[in-house]
């Protein structure tokens, strides 16, 4: 079978110009002076695109098979489905790239056929590239073009996202031409617009200067500034050394390790479901808005500052470790068998997954209705209620001199709701009788309803204002 496929590949290369899976860059005799020359050279040097017989044919329309091959080369896709789901996909030079894109969820055809030799439309290309680069569909409709209404419903979010990001433009004359064909140079130019840095070599050290940093192989250290970072499954350890990320860092691939060192910052970090066993370490001087994991057995180590940690239901057995220098405002976990531990500060943990353990000091723990096995410092938290772990520094007791036996406090929380005139607070009480209050909330203030008494011939009118607490005037 391999010999037959190789023979067909060689035959196809002689009769069809294509983006082959070969990674050997070649000079092209038809790109000199072309508006896409620099982009074509860049991505040819990376082995992502290629031509044949020394020609690139930049103005020729791109086929769906060629589009799949670009994406498979770009992302270094390897995984294949168990079978071929497409009735019109025979053994050919493009078979493996299309199946790899299908397995990755990037190209699905119409469910029965994939039409490999059809020209890819502009909106199809935009959807494929947005999926490949994990660009989330944008809300709202496409506007600003005379033919904006021609964009298919299934493509609208992807098209708008790429337009909003400045990655794609119209074709001139206020036209977008979503159903028009797209040439080879244009697709390569879109790649060039979207990707600021492309990391493929083990041990690479990159100074990013904006845009997307796409990491597809080996260990890497990245400095500078980036809009987003996408780390795929061929990577091992990626260090963001003082890197400032405007948007999201996406981690994919089992066992991938992400480290934020120095004063690195990111708006968010997402660990995808396919990254089981991945780890994220936020260094002592680093900060992140939200760290969210969808992957089982994720390890999240916080030495710096993180506003929110979110553990999705699929991320069972995730461990959140907050070290002494670390600070986390909130942890929300919906997965089972999650642990939140360490000597650092975690303000609150909200739990809707069973068998969750919280041992960080001074943490308020709330267990949603229906949960079981939720513990704070080893003591079960009643479902639908809140408890707290022991503070990092146990408040000293009053009274006379003399030592006493040591005791590890285990607190239960009782919430006193605010009223119109008095603030609310939470009282934490240990079984030994020790108590303290925290989580104070301001008084609500009066809210009056008015009842008007109309004047009569002999008596004046007036309005009575009454609050729900009973206060009236």
């Amino acid at each position: 079978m391999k010999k037959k496929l190789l023979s067909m590949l060689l035959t196809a290369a002689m009769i069809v110009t294509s983006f082959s899976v070969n990674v050997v860059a070649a000079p092209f005799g038809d790109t000199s002076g072309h508006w896409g020359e620099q982009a074509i050279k860049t991505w040819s040097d990376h082995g992502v695109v290629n031509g044949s017989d020394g020609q690139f044919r930049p103005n020729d329309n791109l086929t769906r098979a060629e589009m799949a091959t670009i994406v498979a080369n770009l992302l270094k896709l390897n995984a294949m489905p168990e079978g071929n789901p497409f009735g019109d996909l025979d053994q050919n030079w493009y078979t493996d790239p299309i199946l790899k894109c299908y397995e990755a969820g990037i190209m699905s055809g119409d469910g029965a056929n994939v039409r490999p030799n059809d020209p890819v439309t502009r909106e199809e290309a935009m959807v494929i590239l947005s999926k490949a680069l994990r660009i989330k569909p944008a809300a709202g409709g496409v506007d600003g073009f005379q033919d904006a209404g021609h964009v298919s419903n299934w493509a609208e979010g992807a098209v708008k996202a790429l337009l909003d990001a400045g990655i794609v433009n119209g074709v001139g004359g206020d036209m977008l031409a979503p159903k028009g064909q797209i040439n080879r140079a244009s697709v390569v130019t879109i790649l060039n617009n979207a990707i600021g840095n492309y990391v493929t070599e083990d041990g690479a050290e990159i100074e990013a200067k904006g845009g997307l940093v796409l990491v597809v192989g080996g260990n890497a250290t990245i400095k500078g500034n980036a809009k987003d970072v996408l780390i795929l499954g061929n990577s091992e350890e990626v260090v963001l050394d003082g890197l400032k990320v405007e948007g999201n860092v996406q981690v994919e691939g089992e066992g991938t390790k992400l480290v934020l060192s120095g004063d690195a910052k990111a708006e968010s970090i997402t660990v995808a479901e396919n990254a089981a066993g991945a780890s994220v370490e936020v260094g002592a001087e680093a900060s992140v808005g939200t760290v969210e994991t969808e992957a089982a057995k994720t390890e999240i180590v916080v030495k710096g500052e993180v506003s929110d940690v979110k553990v999705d239901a699929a991320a069972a057995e995730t461990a959140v470790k907050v070290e002494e220098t670390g600070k986390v405002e909130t942890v929300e976990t919906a997965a089972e068998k999650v642990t939140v531990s360490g000597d650092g500060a975690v303000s609150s943990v909200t739990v809707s997954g069973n068998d969750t353990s919280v041992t960080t000091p001074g943490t308020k723990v709330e267990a949603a209705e229906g949960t079981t096995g939720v513990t704070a410092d080893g003591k079960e938290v009643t479902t639908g209620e809140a408890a707290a772990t022991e503070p990092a520094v146990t408040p000293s007791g009053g009274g006379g001199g003399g030592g006493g036996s040591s005791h590890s406090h285990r607190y239960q929380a009782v919430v006193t709701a605010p009223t119109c005139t008095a603030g609310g607070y939470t009282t934490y009480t240990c079984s030994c009788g020790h108590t303290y209050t925290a989580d104070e909330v301001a008084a609500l203030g009066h809210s009056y309803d008015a009842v008007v008494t109309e004047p009569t011939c002999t008596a004046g009118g007036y309005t009575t204002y009454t609050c729900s607490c009973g206060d009236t005037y």
Side-chain angles (χ1 to χ4, degrees), residues 286-431:
S287 61
V288 182
T290 300
V291 177
E292 181 171 5
T293 180
E294 305 166 352
K297 299 183 179 179
T298 304
E299 182 181 58
I300 301 171
V301 179
V302 180
K303 301 176 182 179
E305 293 191 10
V306 175
S307 295
D308 305 294
V309 174
K310 297 182 179 180
V311 183
D312 292 0
E317 299 182 60
T318 285
V320 181
K321 300 179 181 179
V322 185
E323 299 196 1
E324 188 174 4
T325 56
K327 181 180 179 181
V328 177
E329 288 298 323
T330 64
V331 176
E332 298 177 24
T333 172
E336 296 189 348
K337 299 181 180 178
V338 172
T339 60
V340 182
S341 64
D343 297 323
V346 179
S347 297
S348 67
V349 178
T350 304
V351 183
S352 57
N354 297 332
D355 303 318
T356 295
S357 167
V358 182
T359 56
T360 46
T363 302
K364 181 180 179 180
V365 183
E366 296 181 83
E369 292 285 352
T371 55
T372 60
V374 179
T375 61
D377 274 344
K379 188 170 183 178
E380 188 159 356
V381 180
T382 304
T383 181
E385 295 186 7
T389 57
E390 179 183 355
V393 180
T394 303
S396 58
S405 60
S406 62
H407 172 70
S408 179
H409 294 299
R410 297 291 183 268
Y411 294 96
Q412 287 290 330
V414 176
V415 177
T416 299
T419 66
C420 296
T421 56
Y425 54 90
T426 301
T427 303
Y428 295 92
T429 306
C430 180
S431 57

Side-chain angles (χ1 to χ4, degrees), residues 203-209 213 215 219-226 229 231 237-245 249 257-266 269 281-288:
E205 294 187 5
I206 301 296
E207 184 74 27
K209 296 182 180 179
V213 176
V215 184
N219 301 313
T221 299
I222 306 167
K223 301 180 179 182
N225 298 276
V229 179
I231 304 168
E237 179 176 292
V238 177
V239 178
L240 309 184
D241 185 6
L243 182 73
K244 308 301 186 293
V245 183
V249 180
K257 183 176 182 180
L258 172 67
V259 178
L260 278 72
S261 65
D263 60 346
K265 290 180 171 59
I269 296 172
E281 180 180 312
V282 180
E285 298 178 13
S287 61
V288 182

Side-chain angles (χ1 to χ4, degrees), residues 188-274:
V188 180
T189 301
I190 291 174
L191 284 183
N192 217 47
N193 291 343
I195 302 171
N197 292 92
Y198 183 53
V199 185
T200 61
E201 296 182 2
D202 187 34
E205 294 187 5
I206 301 296
E207 184 74 27
K209 296 182 180 179
L212 171 68
V213 176
L214 175 58
V215 184
V216 295
N219 301 313
T221 299
I222 306 167
K223 301 180 179 182
N225 298 276
K227 185 177 186 301
D228 297 290
V229 179
L230 174 57
I231 304 168
L232 297 183
N234 300 308
S235 304
E236 297 169 9
E237 179 176 292
V238 177
V239 178
L240 309 184
D241 185 6
L243 182 73
K244 308 301 186 293
V245 183
E246 179 185 335
N248 185 56
V249 180
Q250 175 101 350
V251 179
E252 300 191 12
E254 293 186 5
T256 301
K257 183 176 182 180
L258 172 67
V259 178
L260 278 72
S261 65
D263 60 346
K265 290 180 171 59
E267 179 68 25
S268 60
I269 296 172
T270 303
V271 182
E273 191 170 355
N274 63 2

